[in-house]
Amino acid sequence: MASSSSSFSSSTTSTITSKFIGLLLLLSLQIDLLLGSAIHLKNQTSFRPDRDIQKLRRVEAYLNRINKPSIKTIHSPDGDVIECVPSHLQPAFDHPQLQGQKPLDSPDRSSRSNETTNEESFNQLWSMSGESCPVGSIPMRKTTKNDVLRANSVRRFGRKLRRPIRRDSSGGGHEHAVVFVNGEQYYGAKASINVWAPRVTDAYEFSLSQIWLISGSFGHDLNTIEAGWQVSPELYGDNYPRFFTYWTTDAYQATGCYNLLCSGFVQTNNKIAIGAAISPRSSYNGRQFDIGLMIWKDPKHGHWWLELGNGLLVGYWPAFLFSHLRSHASMVQFGGEVVNSRSSGAHTGTQMGSGHFADEGFEKAAYFRNLQVVDWDNNLLPLKNLHVLADHPACYDIRQGKNNVWGTYFYYGGPGRNPRCP
């Protein structure tokens, strides 16, 4: 019996010991979990220091300043919110020289040559439901907190990164396929631009096709006026091609912005939302769509007006914004631009135009057609002494031509990274 009792006692002790060890292990695991949670919480709070809280406050202040009171809200199928803002409350009228004023009436139009596009061929997703903004208001794409937070800083939001404009092959990560004229005084430019939806492979890259009016030296006093379409995930949060404008008076340093994201461009039109998605777009071996764009200087007041199609005025850049462009442009440029960040260590796969090279031609490569410039008397003239330039032709190239229907034209673009463009 003693032997049996001893065996029972030993078994009981062993069971108790096992349970105790198990309890210790369980307590140890719980302590580890608690410590881990504490460390995780500590790490979480490290993502929200005073600096980030201050940034959020700056974002909110910016949004309160740029998103104006509206009289109607329209929800676009692509997720954009379009606010119908009374025209005299748009951001341009925050400028000290415009405060208390209203948009100017339409000026006399410049001379016209035959043009096959008109405003009916230009559509945007937000207006396809039949919704529109009342007369006396303008449609503004609402800027969201996420839009601003995608930028490097609140101050840089809505602005191109500082870099030299297309003049030689040192584009600072920006690559071009363009044609340009210089050496004379230019008072505007016009072209029809084929619209595509090129693939942008990095969130901080873009692909655009536009007209540039340029004046000043290629240093810190460069003035530009720009308009066209762009795909920019950083600015808009998606990959739709969007109608855009831009301006700067100091080579993209502190002045100017995209669209209506600062005090500058004065919109006068209640049908077009600058920064909104364009629809439809062209397709490979399919239907082709283009938008007619014209920028021209009003001789009476000196402002630079933006026109869509064949007579639809969008608005104007006031002359006082500029130094060199206050009088005229010294260079006009047409074409495509991409950002090549080389984030993967190789050339970007971001496409320009259709993503296909120029020699593929119509329905495959993107094009500009009916290129013209405006003279001092508001006459539309053909381009003289045209220069053609692709700074990385193995990645994006260009081919210029001329005929009786398209006048001066060119095909351009490319896929970016490929066996010849590593």
Side-chain angles (χ1 to χ4, degrees):
M1 293 292 294
S3 175
S4 175
S5 174
S6 173
S7 175
F8 173 78
S9 174
S10 174
S11 174
T12 303
T13 303
S14 176
T15 301
I16 292 170
T17 302
S18 297
K19 287 182 177 179
F20 181 68
I21 292 171
L23 181 62
L24 285 176
L25 288 171
L26 181 62
L27 287 171
S28 176
L29 179 62
Q30 288 177 330
I31 290 169
D32 286 344
L33 287 171
L34 287 170
L35 286 172
S37 296
I39 291 168
H40 177 67
L41 287 171
K42 183 179 179 182
N43 287 341
Q44 271 195 321
T45 58
S46 71
F47 287 108
R48 311 275 304 209
D50 290 345
R51 183 177 59 186
D52 288 337
I53 293 172
Q54 289 171 3
K55 180 180 179 179
L56 288 173
R57 287 174 179 163
R58 288 195 297 272
V59 169
E60 292 292 347
Y62 174 81
L63 293 174
N64 290 335
R65 187 169 68 251
I66 207 71
N67 289 326
K68 302 299 185 180
S70 70
I71 57 177
K72 182 179 179 180
T73 299
I74 300 170
H75 293 273
S76 175
D78 61 350
D80 280 358
V81 175
I82 304 298
E83 302 285 7
C84 300
V85 174
S87 57
H88 66 284
L89 295 181
Q90 64 182 287
F93 293 101
D94 292 338
H95 195 287
Q97 294 194 48
L98 291 176
Q99 285 179 356
Q101 299 182 35
K102 293 183 178 181
L104 295 174
D105 293 332
S106 301
D108 294 333
R109 308 300 178 88
S110 63
S111 303
R112 294 286 185 266
S113 63
N114 291 331
E115 178 59 73
T116 58
T117 60
N118 55 47
E119 57 268 28
E120 277 68 44
S121 67
F122 182 88
N123 293 302
Q124 294 183 296
L125 285 176
W126 72 273
S127 60
M128 294 184 73
S129 64
E131 293 274 13
S132 62
C133 285
V135 174
S137 68
I138 64 163
M140 282 188 63
R141 179 183 181 272
K142 186 173 184 177
T143 302
T144 68
K145 184 183 295 184
N146 286 338
D147 288 338
V148 184
L149 289 175
R150 283 192 300 270
N152 291 331
S153 67
V154 177
R155 190 174 65 85
R156 295 305 306 171
F157 172 69
R159 291 177 174 169
K160 288 188 177 183
L161 295 177
R162 304 171 199 169
R163 85 282 187 267
I165 200 163
R166 170 68 266 135
R167 194 182 189 190
D168 53 35
S169 59
S170 58
H174 291 243
E175 300 182 10
H176 306 77
V178 298
V179 304
F180 65 91
V181 291
N182 58 4
E184 297 186 23
Q185 296 182 357
Y186 306 99
Y187 296 83
K190 184 177 185 180
S192 291
I193 309 175
N194 196 198
V195 180
W196 292 79
R199 182 180 68 249
V200 175
T201 59
D202 186 285
Y204 295 99
E205 296 178 346
F206 64 65
S207 179
L208 59 77
S209 298
Q210 68 172 48
I211 298 172
W212 289 261
L213 293 178
I214 303 165
S215 193
S217 69
F218 285 80
H220 296 305
D221 65 343
L222 186 74
N223 288 202
T224 74
I225 289 174
E226 309 171 31
W229 62 260
Q230 67 177 166
V231 175
S232 176
E234 179 185 5
L235 189 57
Y236 305 107
D238 58 33
N239 288 281
Y240 290 111
R242 293 170 176 271
F243 175 53
F244 83 95
T245 63
Y246 199 89
W247 66 276
T248 182
T249 63
D250 60 359
Y252 306 96
Q253 294 182 87
T255 64
C257 63
Y258 281 111
N259 308 332
L260 304 179
L261 296 175
C262 66
S263 300
F265 187 83
V266 179
Q267 184 163 338
T268 59
N269 187 284
N270 69 324
K271 295 185 174 72
I272 303 298
I274 303 174
I278 301 171
S279 181
R281 283 91 72 178
S282 303
S283 58
Y284 190 81
N285 271 336
R287 291 188 66 188
Q288 300 301 297
F289 299 92
D290 57 34
I291 56 173
L293 279 184
M294 179 175 176
I295 304 168
W296 55 280
K297 190 173 177 61
D298 171 26
K300 184 175 181 181
H301 298 287
H303 306 313
W304 292 92
W305 282 82
L306 175 62
E307 186 174 321
L308 266 174
N310 204 17
L312 190 68
L313 291 175
V314 180
Y316 60 94
W317 291 270
F320 67 75
L321 293 174
F322 304 100
S323 51
H324 300 288
L325 276 175
R326 193 170 298 195
S327 55
H328 61 270
S330 57
M331 181 177 182
V332 176
Q333 184 169 280
F334 309 82
E337 176 185 353
V338 301
V339 172
N340 173 28
S341 64
R342 299 187 69 89
S343 58
S344 64
H347 193 284
T348 182
T350 288
Q351 299 173 335
M352 180 188 292
S354 69
H356 293 263
F357 287 114
D359 60 4
E360 293 194 42
F362 188 64
E363 293 185 338
K364 298 177 179 67
Y367 63 81
F368 278 60
R369 64 180 177 88
N370 298 108
L371 276 61
Q372 297 171 294
V373 292
V374 180
D375 72 2
W376 66 274
D377 199 27
N378 259 349
N379 298 301
L380 283 163
L381 302 175
L383 276 61
K384 296 188 299 183
N385 302 319
L386 187 65
H387 304 273
V388 180
L389 187 58
D391 49 27
H392 293 78
C395 311
Y396 316 102
D397 68 359
I398 187 166
R399 191 186 73 197
Q400 184 254 327
K402 189 173 184 178
N403 63 34
N404 292 332
V405 179
W406 278 16
T408 300
Y409 69 88
F410 62 87
Y411 291 102
Y412 71 105
R417 188 180 183 186
N418 68 79
R420 296 189 302 116
C421 174

